[in-house]
């Protein structure tokens, strides 16, 4: 615990059901029930929260300043101390955690959301690439992930049947997750971009996640079994795929070192691996033993709402500690093509 | 618990212009960051983390450009955060970076904000139709003009005040080598004769569209000790937000702005901002926002802000200089504009503001706002290390 100035824990987590389409809902209408649910779990009201931070992307909403409207869902009156990252909500959680470390806040509400259904997310994500040399070629996100999968197979790190097993395990585990978009056994399907089949790729969908953080004794008051964030760090790599070894994730490894992942065994890992092949890379970077439960929630292969899927990993990891099902968990979030940017957090329950 | 004191030891800006055709987005941000490092006499290796901000991605047409910019900003292998809080983003970005140091999570942080508006069309970026919401096709000026009109009606301010602000800021910009608009032949009559765009806002009372970037190096007490130039110390910083549209909102003087300023003054031990603050870099995209924010920030009583402007108090040689740099009215790379305010405030207390230096400035306020006047970010910097 001495790593940081203050003990901070995830004390509540809520998420929407993740759906292929939510045509009948605006973003505000998607976000509000989840915010109410996560606050109700702590008994706190919006006005009692010390700091609020959200994550989202204008390109999914198809308009500038899209987050200004979802702020209405928070009920920011009287005015609140608030910020936003144009990133997955896992990084909003990081900003909120830093704010609590300064002592300026004792609690934080973190939320993120994404509606991928109005557009083609494969096309939209091409706008994330180098705008002068790469984006004009429109290489889509599945094609880039397939490059990474091919590199892994060529390097002898995995094969197609091993990838299929990851997909099957994730979808089977999601059977116990009422919020997941794809649940129960799902066929591996046809090739999307070789060597990736449908079952190796995440579903496209809409969803919301929210977390409440609290410091020290307040966390103990708000939650019977707080999920303490004993380490958190994030790192980025070069953007150009040609500058990276796609079979490895040094940024995940550096973040894990700084978060203290390797100081003691973990029993569970919630990894933001939207493609089955990326789980192979992350397992290696995090040095996960074979007996670690990976993505018992079903992971991003069962529900991958853009901008929320990383925060969901932290939330699912924390919820397992809240329920007493896990004791030391690593949670991971990713952003950018082929795992360019990675956040790693260690969450632990109080020792009995 | 105690926070680590935060010092600004390096500041870099690009020369802001309408279109930087000679550099990519990466080239633009690298230029500002390299200047900030040179100012601090540090290298890329001294930077522990990067915090970057900009206004909507649609302004350049690049989704989450921080991913593409990681290499240009020396962030590979480091943490990189991307903040987005509408027009206040430059200020919010600096505050997030400052918190990393204050929390002792990192020791030395590069923070940068930019906009390269020439890559796309800002009015298009702001006008994409959204289902279930009222279309807002009038541009920012069309949104803010009615609130200016409400201010005039509420306070009885004469309709000459807006042009005084524009004339002052454009003259101040002539002393700032990085300012976008250098109107050497500016006169008050020219401002007053400029076309009416959104009554009562005239063409010369509006901000330009700029390409530009601003960067700062923030560090802890040990880093400040090693700094070759004077540091600007962060005495207080805060963000406040309120909803865009609701019946109780006061668009003339939003509660979030008042609360944000009050929090900053409390942290900095300021009880009489008019007397205790030596210079203000205020977010004034339309000239009338100077008198409005003078009241919102507690420099004047309600209804009295325009009197300070009219009396010359906010001139560069007045007793409360506002926007000695020329402000947003002279330079507006939107995502960077808030950080420029914060950086210019720091330049003032470091005594590094050159021709637009306020003599003997010891404490300065940097201010930013965004959205429908719903997001606020401010910091107060001083020449002395804070005592508490």
């Amino acid at each position: 615990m001495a790593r940081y100035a203050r003990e901070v824990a995830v004390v509540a987590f809520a998420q929407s059901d993740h759906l292929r389409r939510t045509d009948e809902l605006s973003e505000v209408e998607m976000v509000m029930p989840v915010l109410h649910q996560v606050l109700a779990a702590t008994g706190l009201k919006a006005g009692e929260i010390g700091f609020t931070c959200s994550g989202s992307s204008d390109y999914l909403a198809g308009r500038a300043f899209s987050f200004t409207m979802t702020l209405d869902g928070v009920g920011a009156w009287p005015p609140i101390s608030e910020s936003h990252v144009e990133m997955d909500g896992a990084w909003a959680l990081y900003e909120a955690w830093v704010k609590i470390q300064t002592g300026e806040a004792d609690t934080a509400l973190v939320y993120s959301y994404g509606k991928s259904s109005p557009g083609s997310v494969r096309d939209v994500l091409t706008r994330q690439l180098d705008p002068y040399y790469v984006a004009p070629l429109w290489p889509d996100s599945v094609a880039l992930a397939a490059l990474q999968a091919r590199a892994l197979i060529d390097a002898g790190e995995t094969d197609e049947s091993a990838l299929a097993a990851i997909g099957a395990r994730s979808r089977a585990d999601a059977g116990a997750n009422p919020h997941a978009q794809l649940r129960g056994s799902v066929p591996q399907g046809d090739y999307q971009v070789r060597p990736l089949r449908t079952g190796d790729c995440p579903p496209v969908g809409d969803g919301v996640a929210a977390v409440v953080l609290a410091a020290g004794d307040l966390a103990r008051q708000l939650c019977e079994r707080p999920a303490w964030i004993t380490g958190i760090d994030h790192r980025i790599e070069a953007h150009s795929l040609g500058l990276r070894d796609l079979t490895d994730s040094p940024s995940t490894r550096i973040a894990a070192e700084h978060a203290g992942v390797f100081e003691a065994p973990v029993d569970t890992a919630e990894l933001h691996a939207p493609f089955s092949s990326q789980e192979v890379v992350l397992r290696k970077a995090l040095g996960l033993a074979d007996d670690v439960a990976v993505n018992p929630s079903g992971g991003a292969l069962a529900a991958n709402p853009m901008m929320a899927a990383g925060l969901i990993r932290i939330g699912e990891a924390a919820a397992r500690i809240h329920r007493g099902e896990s004791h030391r968990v690593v949670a991971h979030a990713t952003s950018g093509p082929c795992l360019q940017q990675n956040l790693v957090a260690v969450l632990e329950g109080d020792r009995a | 618990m105690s926070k680590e004191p935060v010092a600004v030891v390096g500041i870099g800006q690009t020369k802001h212009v309408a279109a930087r055709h000679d550099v990519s987005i990466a080239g633009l941000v690298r230029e500002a960051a390299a200047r900030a490092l040179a100012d601090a006499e540090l290298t890329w290796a001294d930077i522990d983390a990067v915090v970057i901000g900009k206004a909507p991605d649609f302004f350049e047409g690049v989704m989450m450009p921080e991913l593409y910019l990681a290499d240009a900003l020396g962030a590979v292998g480091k943490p990189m955060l991307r903040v987005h809080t509408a027009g206040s983003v430059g200020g919010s970005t600096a505050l997030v970076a400052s918190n990393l140091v204050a929390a002792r999570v990192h020791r030395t942080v590069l923070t940068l904000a930019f906009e390269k508006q020439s890559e796309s069309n800002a009015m298009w970026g702001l006008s994409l139709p959204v289902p279930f919401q009222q279309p807002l096709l009038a541009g920012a000026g069309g949104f803010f003009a009615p609130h200016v009109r409400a201010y005039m009606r509420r306070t009885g301010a004469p309709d000459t005040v807006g042009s005084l602000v524009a004339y002052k800021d454009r003259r101040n910009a002539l002393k700032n080598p990085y300012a976008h608009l250098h109107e050497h032949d500016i006169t008050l009559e020219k401002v007053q004769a400029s076309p009416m765009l959104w009554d009562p806002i005239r063409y010369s009372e509006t901000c330009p569209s700029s390409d530009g970037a601003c960067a700062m190096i923030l560090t802890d007490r040990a880093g400040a000790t090693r700094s070759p130039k004077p540091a600007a110390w962060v005495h207080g910083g805060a963000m406040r937000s309120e909803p865009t549209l609701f019946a109780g909102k006061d668009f003339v003087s939003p509660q979030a702005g008042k609360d944000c300023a009050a929090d900053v003054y409390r942290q900095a031990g300021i009880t009489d901002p008019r007397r205790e603050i030596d210079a203000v870099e205020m977010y004034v995209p339309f000239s009338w926002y100077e008198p409005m924010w003078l009241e919102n920030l507690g420099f004047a009583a309600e209804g009295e802000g325009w009197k300070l402007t009219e009396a010359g108090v906010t001139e560069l040689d007045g007793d409360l200089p506002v926007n000695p740099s020329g402000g947003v009215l002279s330079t507006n790379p939107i995502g960077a504009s808030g950080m420029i305010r914060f950086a210019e405030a720091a330049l003032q207390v470091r005594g590094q503001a050159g021709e637009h230096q306020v003599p003997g400035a010891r404490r300065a306020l940097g201010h930013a706002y965004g959205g429908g006047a719903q997001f606020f970010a401010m910091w107060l910097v001083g020449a002395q290390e804070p005592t508490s």
Side-chain angles (χ1 to χ4, degrees), chain A residues 45-60:
Chain A
K45 296 185 172 61
E48 296 168 331
I49 292 286
F51 184 65
T52 300
C53 197
S54 62
S56 67
S57 165
D58 279 348
Y59 260 77
L60 294 177

Side-chain angles (χ1 to χ4, degrees), chain A residues 226-243:
Chain A
W228 300 104
I229 300 171
T230 58
I232 186 166
D233 194 72
H234 60 97
R235 301 282 155 163
I236 197 166
E237 292 175 37
H239 186 59
S240 170
L241 299 182
L243 294 175

